[in-house]
Amino acid sequence: MISAITPDRILQTGLAFWSSKTLLTAVEMELFTELAKHPGDLANVQGRMGLHPRAARDFLDALVALGFLQRQEGIYSNSPETDLFLDKAKPSYIGGILAMANHRLFRYWGDLTTAVRTGEPQNESKGGHDPFTALYADPAKLREFLRAMSGVSRGANMAIAKKVPWSGYRTCADIGTAQGDLVTQITLANPHLAGIGFDLPEVGPVFEEYITANGLTERVSFIGGSFFTDELPSADVLLFGHILHDWDLDTKLMLLRKAHAALPPGGAVVVYDSLIDDDRKENAFGLLMSLNMLIETPGGFDYTGADCVGWMQQAGFKDCRVEHLVGPDSMVVGIK
Amino acid sequence: MISAITPDRILQTGLAFWSSKTLLTAVEMELFTELAKHPGDLANVQGRMGLHPRAARDFLDALVALGFLQRQEGIYSNSPETDLFLDKAKPSYIGGILAMANHRLFRYWGDLTTAVRTGEPQNESKGGHDPFTALYADPAKLREFLRAMSGVSRGANMAIAKKVPWSGYRTCADIGTAQGDLVTQITLANPHLAGIGFDLPEVGPVFEEYITANGLTERVSFIGGSFFTDELPSADVLLFGHILHDWDLDTKLMLLRKAHAALPPGGAVVVYDSLIDDDRKENAFGLLMSLNMLIETPGGFDYTGADCVGWMQQAGFKDCRVEHLVGPDSMVVGIK
């Protein structure tokens, strides 16, 4: 019995930040964007990326062994997945979340022990400020954050565009829309729908740019406002994508009540996040995302499908159901 | 084809530092040592560990979902592997490497991009000093480092105690012995052998303590010295465990030549490290360990079995062979 137990998993997980940071550094350097233009041998890639000779070969070969690069007859090129998802020149780019993880989260997570002992955020907002105030005050950081949200949400957004019975609705509004990827994917896949993106006014220009790039200006518009002080826009379907987990329980309930008030009878609320399994024993990513909310926000936390159904029922919704989307993300749908 | 490609592995690896740091924080808090004394429910563990109520449940349940804790009917306890390997009260404890990863490496790896661009270390020695000078000057850090080395080497040490044909030898000397775990495992498994641990004089007290705790004082002794300025001790077998990768090529060759000079005819040199596969495409851990040497040392790097066989032959050894030990570690043996 004892002889079958090895320390391998402990050491692998404990040192997993090595592979993590190696990939994040490659994203930071835009290595995959560069190799998508054309592959190259060691000397070529070293020169183009400004790598030190001592480090270049180990760095690139580590990415080969991790499956993010390929090397054939000495020529380095992207793997199919990094070529599709980590080349900035492609619309399928999802590296924003990793750029933010590299730039902000890796260091903030270094203070996890303090977070777990104090219950307080360990990011720019250290000291108790609204985490989004600091972010929204800096246009460069705001743009990075909004792009990051698109990257981490793309798969779920595309699933929602198919899995909600859109034929029964004419309008939708995405609350806390960021760059607007959710309303973009929904309206691209459902040409009969009109959509609204709702977020703080500072987000407007980034949203408009994204909608224009996707050719959706005739059907999708932006409404600037705060879901704390303003009513929510009216639409057949209101969506909260990776929003509820940012906030404490009172705010979660307030948002669901405002959604109920803004919807017509028969309208739907759609909430999605990296839902934790109801027994809180399986979905490690959802639980770690909740620790990320501890690092990032004063009161946010992730939750199970059963938690969310209970809150929707308290807010007056009926026929609530949970449906898996993709990867760690699931949605909860409630009807007014 | 395209539809089969998902961003899951990219996101998992890019955010793998979340699970990594969660485990490291648990080791830092000695959670597994505490739960080995007795399991407890949420309120009990929260109180004993000084966790904040906001964070406690997510933190513990994340460790459940990662497989490092178990929770049955609300009672948290260690998994079999964390109970064996992360309880400080057990001799099988290997948490030292994770304590050091948490305390030093996690932050230093935050500067990987700088390391890859400059080729310079990013630890206490930043600025070009010998990395071991700073470490050996601080008794607390030295003890943490030496324990960490035992933790990361235990499995390989036990394998070497069985896989070298010890019946043909009477003495061995472990060069850069640290706490002495390699010579300890070898002499515990082979009662006919006498052993020497060779390291800087500062290491002596920590070594003697470990040898005494293992009841080996009659067969194992310490010799203080520097492998730069002193000759190596004479013995039938000379061992270098996780030593060669710390140094640049000239030092690697110098050490192998000194070993050849110190051995009797027919004597053996045994080198082990996390050997990279000869094609440098498979063993990600060995390549990442080499990047760790970039972070930690001015010239160190990991290497393939073929590299090491070539260096041994240059130093005069014959009948060189590579043999896998355990996990990422393999040994290279050469005969004088």
Side-chain angles (χ1 to χ4, degrees):
Chain A
M1 174 80 182
I2 292 287
S3 63
I5 305 177
T6 76
D8 285 359
R9 275 201 62 249
I10 290 172
L11 292 173
Q12 272 167 22
T13 303
L15 299 176
F17 67 92
W18 290 2
S19 50
S20 205
K21 189 63 179 73
T22 299
L23 177 59
L24 297 182
T25 283
V27 170
E28 177 185 357
M29 293 180 162
E30 305 187 5
L31 171 65
F32 306 105
T33 304
E34 194 58 39
L35 287 179
K37 293 178 197 164
H38 60 93
D41 66 10
L42 178 62
N44 175 282
V45 179
Q46 183 179 306
R48 283 156 75 195
M49 303 309 303
L51 304 177
H52 190 276
R54 181 186 168 197
R57 194 164 168 233
D58 286 342
F59 176 60
L60 296 174
D61 285 346
L63 290 165
V64 170
L66 291 168
F68 299 123
L69 291 182
Q70 297 177 340
R71 192 192 70 230
Q72 288 179 333
E73 298 181 7
I75 303 296
Y76 293 94
S77 62
N78 288 334
S79 72
E81 61 185 347
T82 54
D83 205 59
L84 184 61
F85 295 114
L86 294 179
D87 172 10
K88 271 192 150 174
K90 295 193 177 74
S92 50
Y93 179 72
I94 56 130
I97 181 68
L98 301 188
M100 187 176 84
N102 183 65
H103 183 219
R104 300 179 58 248
L105 299 181
F106 191 90
R107 278 166 208 279
Y108 297 146
W109 269 76
D111 292 324
L112 177 67
T113 306
T114 306
V116 167
R117 290 220 154 108
T118 64
E120 286 171 13
Q122 303 298 318
N123 64 1
E124 297 90 345
S125 75
K126 222 167 167 169
H129 308 292
D130 172 2
F132 293 105
T133 307
L135 209 53
Y136 279 58
D138 178 338
K141 279 203 173 182
L142 176 61
R143 187 172 287 259
E144 178 184 62
F145 174 75
L146 299 177
R147 281 195 182 143
M149 295 305 98
S150 293
V152 79
S153 306
R154 174 73 40 75
N157 295 347
M158 295 182 74
I160 283 181
K162 289 181 190 166
K163 291 194 174 186
V164 169
W166 290 111
S167 60
Y169 304 108
R170 290 179 307 156
T171 57
C172 66
D174 178 21
I175 312 304
T177 192
Q179 212 176 6
D181 190 67
L182 176 54
V183 68
T184 294
Q185 300 306 329
I186 291 170
T187 50
L188 281 175
N190 299 277
H192 71 286
L193 284 180
I196 290 166
F198 179 85
D199 210 316
L200 293 176
E202 296 93 316
V203 175
V206 180
F207 179 92
E208 302 288 1
E209 188 184 318
Y210 195 73
I211 297 305
T212 302
N214 281 280
L216 290 167
T217 48
E218 299 204 355
R219 288 191 286 136
V220 177
S221 57
F222 182 77
I223 298 182
S226 159
F227 50 52
F228 283 100
T229 52
D230 300 313
E231 293 309 302
L232 300 185
S234 190
D236 296 341
V237 180
L238 293 179
L239 301 116
F240 296 89
H242 293 153
I243 296 295
L244 252 56
H245 77 153
D246 286 337
W247 306 101
D248 63 17
L249 182 56
D250 286 348
T251 307
K252 285 174 164 79
L253 287 167
M254 176 274 284
L255 289 172
L256 290 172
R257 287 197 191 98
K258 277 197 176 182
H260 194 267
L263 284 168
V269 65
V270 178
V271 165
Y272 83 82
D273 264 312
S274 296
L275 293 188
I276 300 166
D277 57 296
D278 287 348
D279 201 25
R280 296 173 58 90
K281 285 184 175 176
E282 300 293 334
N283 184 352
F285 188 80
L287 288 155
L288 293 167
M289 180 61 87
S290 199
L291 291 177
N292 193 50
M293 292 303 109
L294 171 69
I295 297 281
E296 287 274 72
T297 72
F301 62 93
D302 285 77
Y303 47 89
T304 67
D307 291 335
C308 189
V309 166
W311 303 330
M312 282 189 179
Q313 288 169 339
Q314 281 186 57
F317 289 99
K318 59 188 181 184
D319 301 333
C320 302
R321 65 188 176 83
V322 179
E323 186 173 344
H324 179 249
L325 293 171
V326 65
D329 280 325
S330 297
M331 69 175 174
V332 190
V333 181
I335 308 297
K336 176 168 175 179
Chain B
M1 176 75 182
I2 293 287
S3 64
I5 305 178
T6 77
D8 286 359
R9 273 201 63 250
I10 290 171
L11 292 173
Q12 273 168 22
T13 302
L15 299 176
F17 67 90
W18 291 1
S19 51
S20 206
K21 188 62 178 75
T22 300
L23 177 59
L24 297 182
T25 283
V27 170
E28 177 185 357
M29 293 180 161
E30 305 187 7
L31 172 65
F32 306 106
T33 303
E34 194 58 38
L35 286 178
K37 294 178 196 161
H38 61 93
D41 65 11
L42 178 60
N44 174 282
V45 178
Q46 184 179 304
R48 282 157 74 195
M49 302 310 302
L51 305 176
H52 190 276
R54 181 186 169 197
R57 195 166 166 230
D58 286 343
F59 176 60
L60 296 174
D61 285 347
L63 291 165
V64 170
L66 292 168
F68 299 124
L69 292 182
Q70 297 178 338
R71 192 191 69 230
Q72 287 181 335
E73 299 181 4
I75 303 296
Y76 292 94
S77 62
N78 288 334
S79 72
E81 62 185 345
T82 54
D83 206 60
L84 184 61
F85 295 114
L86 294 179
D87 171 10
K88 272 192 148 171
K90 296 192 176 73
S92 49
Y93 179 73
I94 55 129
I97 181 68
L98 301 188
M100 188 176 83
N102 182 66
H103 183 220
R104 301 180 57 250
L105 299 181
F106 191 89
R107 278 166 208 280
Y108 297 146
W109 270 75
D111 292 323
L112 177 66
T113 306
T114 306
V116 168
R117 289 217 157 110
T118 64
E120 286 172 11
Q122 302 298 318
N123 63 1
E124 295 90 345
S125 73
K126 223 166 168 168
H129 308 293
D130 171 2
F132 293 106
T133 306
L135 209 54
Y136 278 59
D138 178 338
K141 279 203 173 180
L142 176 61
R143 186 172 288 259
E144 178 185 62
F145 175 75
L146 298 177
R147 283 195 180 140
M149 294 306 98
S150 292
V152 80
S153 306
R154 174 73 41 76
N157 295 347
M158 294 180 75
I160 284 182
K162 288 180 189 166
K163 291 192 174 186
V164 169
W166 290 111
S167 61
Y169 304 109
R170 289 179 309 156
T171 56
C172 66
D174 178 22
I175 311 305
T177 190
Q179 210 175 9
D181 191 67
L182 176 54
V183 67
T184 294
Q185 300 306 329
I186 291 170
T187 50
L188 281 176
N190 299 278
H192 71 286
L193 283 181
I196 290 166
F198 179 85
D199 210 316
L200 292 175
E202 297 91 315
V203 175
V206 179
F207 179 92
E208 300 288 2
E209 189 185 317
Y210 195 74
I211 297 305
T212 302
N214 280 281
L216 289 167
T217 47
E218 300 204 353
R219 288 192 286 138
V220 178
S221 56
F222 183 78
I223 297 182
S226 159
F227 51 52
F228 283 99
T229 52
D230 300 312
E231 294 309 300
L232 300 185
S234 189
D236 296 341
V237 180
L238 292 180
L239 301 117
F240 295 88
H242 292 153
I243 296 295
L244 250 55
H245 76 153
D246 286 337
W247 306 100
D248 63 18
L249 182 56
D250 287 346
T251 307
K252 284 173 164 80
L253 287 167
M254 176 274 285
L255 289 173
L256 290 171
R257 287 196 192 99
K258 278 197 176 181
H260 194 268
L263 284 167
V269 66
V270 178
V271 166
Y272 82 82
D273 263 312
S274 296
L275 293 188
I276 300 166
D277 58 296
D278 286 347
D279 201 24
R280 296 174 58 92
K281 284 185 174 176
E282 300 293 334
N283 184 356
F285 187 80
L287 288 155
L288 293 167
M289 181 61 87
S290 199
L291 291 178
N292 193 50
M293 291 304 106
L294 171 68
I295 296 281
E296 287 273 71
T297 72
F301 61 94
D302 286 75
Y303 47 90
T304 67
D307 291 334
C308 189
V309 165
W311 303 330
M312 281 187 179
Q313 288 169 340
Q314 281 186 55
F317 290 97
K318 60 188 182 183
D319 300 333
C320 302
R321 65 186 176 85
V322 178
E323 185 173 344
H324 179 249
L325 294 170
V326 66
D329 281 325
S330 296
M331 67 175 177
V332 189
V333 182
I335 307 296
K336 175 168 177 176

